Amino acid sequence: MHLPLRLKPTALALAATAALCAMPTWAATLTADPTATDGFAGDDKCSLREAVMAINAGTATADCANSVADGFGVNDTINLPAGTYTLTTDGVDETYVASGGTVPWVADITSDASRGDLDITKSVKIVGAGSATTTIQWSTEEGQARDRIFHVFAESGTIDVQIQGVKLTNGQTLEEFIEAGPASGFGVEPTSYFLRRAGGAVAVGPAAAVVLVDPNKTGQDNAEGRGGSKRPTEPDEGGATFSLTLTDVIVDSNSAQGDGGGIYTAAAMTATNVVVSNNTSTTNGGGIYNEGNTTIAASTIKGNTAEGGGGFFGTGSNVVNIAGVTFSGNHAVGGGAISGRAGVTMRIVNSTISGNTGSDVGAGVYTNGVAELRFVTIANNLAGADSPTAGSGVNTFPSGSASVTLKNVLLAGNKKGWFEGMDDETIAALPSANCGSTSGTPAIESRGHNLSSDDSCDDIFTVAGDLNNTDPKLGPLDDNGGPTQTHALAADSPALGAGEDEADITTDQRGEPRDSPPDIGAFELPAPTDDADGGGGGGGCTTNPNAQFDGGLLGLLAAAFAGLALRRRRKA
């Protein structure tokens, strides 16, 4: 059964209480000191590194004493008072060893929190005082070698990690040249084997692999493997199970010479009230690289850069739920905001994809997997490709598995033929390309009540309620209330009241009630109280038998909106 996005306060309180009761018992509690020297023992101060090492070992140290009487368990807590926790103890835990197989080298991963990144091998809850006041960073002093910040990995067991109320910054992973590879069949440039390490700030899973890089090939095909994760043919190491929960977390200005400039996860992840910004990957997933069943709610993903999927890159046979999220200012070759690969299913509701760029195609959404979009605004994205079929707002590419469905989706001002450095006047004159495909007919299906500002969706938007060549009269991306930025609709927008009710979506991206019939896109303009003119109608919802979404995400959204005051201090 689907729950409504909007819960009464009493229902929200009951849901929160039930969630807390269902959580595991947290045994030991350690409190780290932001003034402690990283990794230094015997100074009577518990550093974050020492706290992680104590949790992993299940034993208190002289500097990090357990503050509760129950002793260490399988679920412990590290409290981080307000301040800056700076990592300086360098060292790398991933290397490579001879394989003897078709690939001569394989990654060799050791979990050692005493150096480099903070390796987490047991379930733990890391609680800061708030992302605006608690920072974990790598030192950027001259000569300082850096690493990612957290690496969740073990050879066996179940490891559930919760991180809340912190900012993660200045993390970095670097690739390592191993040796020259075999001759290329695509050109004269030599190939090379590299050890690539994924996740600039946070990595969950192995997060390291040996890849064969062929510079004669372009795009994501130039590396055999996944640019920093396990190779597709490798089994899960040790059968371990991981999960990651992020709440009120900023992941900013991290980088990876592999996948996931900000976050790399090969496991289940839930992210609520997060900001992933200004991260860089040389391969895929500038903000987030995802290989697990994932939920992202009430969050901002902005200003990230990668080769594929500047904001988000999803792959594997996984389901990704995205609700109440704004993607803006991200850049990639393909998929400036979002890139999905065959096998992944992305369900996106009440979200805004705005002002992203792609050097090739699909500056907004670029996929050969499955994507289901409802009440989404896709606006002002710019793609470089200028072929007749290329799309900038939504672009599919042939694989036999691409399938994109749209309902109550608004596409406006997405253009192609762009290149970096182009001035605003020239951009304004570019051809519009809301819908498209790398070649052939776009694998896009309308479920009705979509709006396109141009004619690129004419052959797709043919279902009842669809509007083509229609100016939606959007405002700029701005703070219109709620935890994320949105595009407001003008009082005379043709999108007002032109949508169709969805039984499980009763609020817009900001958490404001939807009218009946609702407006198209992520933003709902409240109807006049006298219902005399304009707006969306008179309230209430009709049942939609085609509605499909993860009901659990709706509860997360309600909780996220309840915690709005926390995010408004740092809204992007």
Side-chain angles (χ1 to χ4, degrees), residues 80-272:
L80 302 178
T84 299
Y85 299 77
T86 301
L87 305 179
T88 59
T89 307
D90 56 21
V92 176
D93 299 331
E94 299 92 6
T95 185
Y96 52 90
V97 294
S99 162
T102 55
V103 176
W105 308 95
V106 295
D108 185 29
I109 303 166
T110 302
S111 295
D112 181 1
S114 69
R115 62 184 185 182
D117 53 19
L118 300 175
D119 294 287
I120 297 175
T121 61
K122 283 178 55 180
S123 296
V124 67
K125 187 175 183 180
I126 298 172
V127 184
S131 60
T133 59
T134 302
T135 297
I136 307 172
Q137 66 176 16
W138 269 95
S139 171
T140 57
E141 291 187 7
E142 186 176 354
Q144 172 69 58
R146 290 184 284 162
D147 199 348
R148 66 172 76 88
I149 295 172
F150 290 115
H151 186 190
V152 181
F153 181 69
E155 294 183 354
S156 62
T158 299
I159 299 95
D160 300 316
V161 175
Q162 297 187 30
I163 302 174
Q164 65 184 57
V166 299
K167 178 181 179 179
L168 307 176
T169 188
N170 296 336
Q172 179 186 61
T173 60
L174 301 176
E175 67 182 9
E176 182 178 352
F177 171 77
I178 301 175
E179 66 175 4
S184 170
F186 298 90
V188 298
E189 295 292 323
T191 67
S192 300
Y193 288 106
F194 285 90
L195 175 70
R196 281 188 172 164
R197 304 167 61 244
V202 180
V204 182
V210 174
V211 297
L212 177 63
V213 177
D214 187 344
N216 301 286
K217 300 165 73 175
T218 59
Q220 99 153 26
D221 292 333
N222 83 327
E224 177 185 313
R226 296 183 186 169
S229 72
K230 61 187 179 184
R231 286 164 46 79
T233 56
E234 290 177 348
D236 292 333
E237 298 197 13
T241 301
F242 311 99
S243 67
L244 176 67
T245 301
L246 303 175
T247 308
D248 180 30
V249 173
I250 298 174
V251 180
D252 180 76
S253 299
N254 305 279
S255 63
Q257 286 185 329
D259 294 327
I263 300 168
Y264 164 88
T265 179
M269 179 177 75
T270 300
T272 309

Side-chain angles (χ1 to χ4, degrees), residues 244-509:
L244 176 67
T245 301
L246 303 175
T247 308
D248 180 30
V249 173
I250 298 174
V251 180
D252 180 76
S253 299
N254 305 279
S255 63
Q257 286 185 329
D259 294 327
I263 300 168
Y264 164 88
T265 179
M269 179 177 75
T270 300
T272 309
N273 282 342
V274 303
V275 173
V276 181
S277 55
N278 305 314
N279 304 285
T280 302
S281 164
T282 59
T283 52
N284 300 309
I288 301 172
Y289 181 101
N290 184 84
E291 288 189 59
N293 293 322
T294 286
T295 293
I296 306 173
S299 298
T300 295
I301 300 175
K302 66 169 188 173
N304 304 285
T305 302
E307 182 177 57
F312 178 90
F313 186 97
T315 188
S317 300
N318 308 300
V319 175
V320 177
N321 290 314
I322 295 172
V325 178
T326 292
F327 295 81
S328 65
N330 302 288
H331 175 77
V333 175
I338 299 171
S339 182
R341 290 300 181 263
V344 71
T345 295
M346 299 186 295
R347 296 171 180 164
I348 308 173
V349 302
N350 274 344
S351 293
T352 297
I353 302 169
S354 174
N356 304 280
T357 55
S359 301
D360 189 12
V361 290
V365 178
Y366 178 54
T367 185
N368 70 338
V370 175
E372 304 166 4
L373 281 66
R374 296 185 292 150
F375 289 109
V376 176
T377 295
I378 304 174
N380 304 331
N381 301 286
L382 303 173
D386 58 3
S387 66
T389 62
S392 178
V394 178
N395 191 93
T396 61
F397 61 99
S399 71
S401 59
S403 174
V404 177
T405 58
L406 308 178
K407 183 173 183 180
N408 294 313
V409 172
L410 188 157
L411 295 109
N414 303 289
K415 299 189 174 188
K416 61 185 178 181
W418 167 86
F419 58 83
E420 190 168 359
M422 183 177 285
D423 60 67
D424 291 344
E425 183 177 353
T426 306
I427 289 173
L430 291 175
S432 186
N434 290 326
C435 298
S437 175
T438 301
S439 63
T441 303
I444 303 172
E445 176 187 353
S446 171
R447 297 288 173 85
H449 298 273
N450 301 294
L451 183 153
S452 172
S453 63
D454 66 13
D455 61 2
S456 67
C457 307
D458 277 3
D459 294 337
I460 301 165
F461 290 178
T462 59
V463 180
D466 284 340
L467 300 172
N468 287 292
N469 285 302
T470 302
D471 180 2
K473 300 185 179 180
L474 282 181
L477 187 67
D478 205 350
D479 177 2
N480 297 302
T484 54
Q485 291 189 330
T486 53
H487 285 281
L489 295 171
D492 59 346
S493 169
L496 300 181
E500 183 176 48
D501 293 317
E502 295 271 26
D504 59 337
I505 302 177
T506 60
T507 67
D508 71 356
Q509 181 172 343

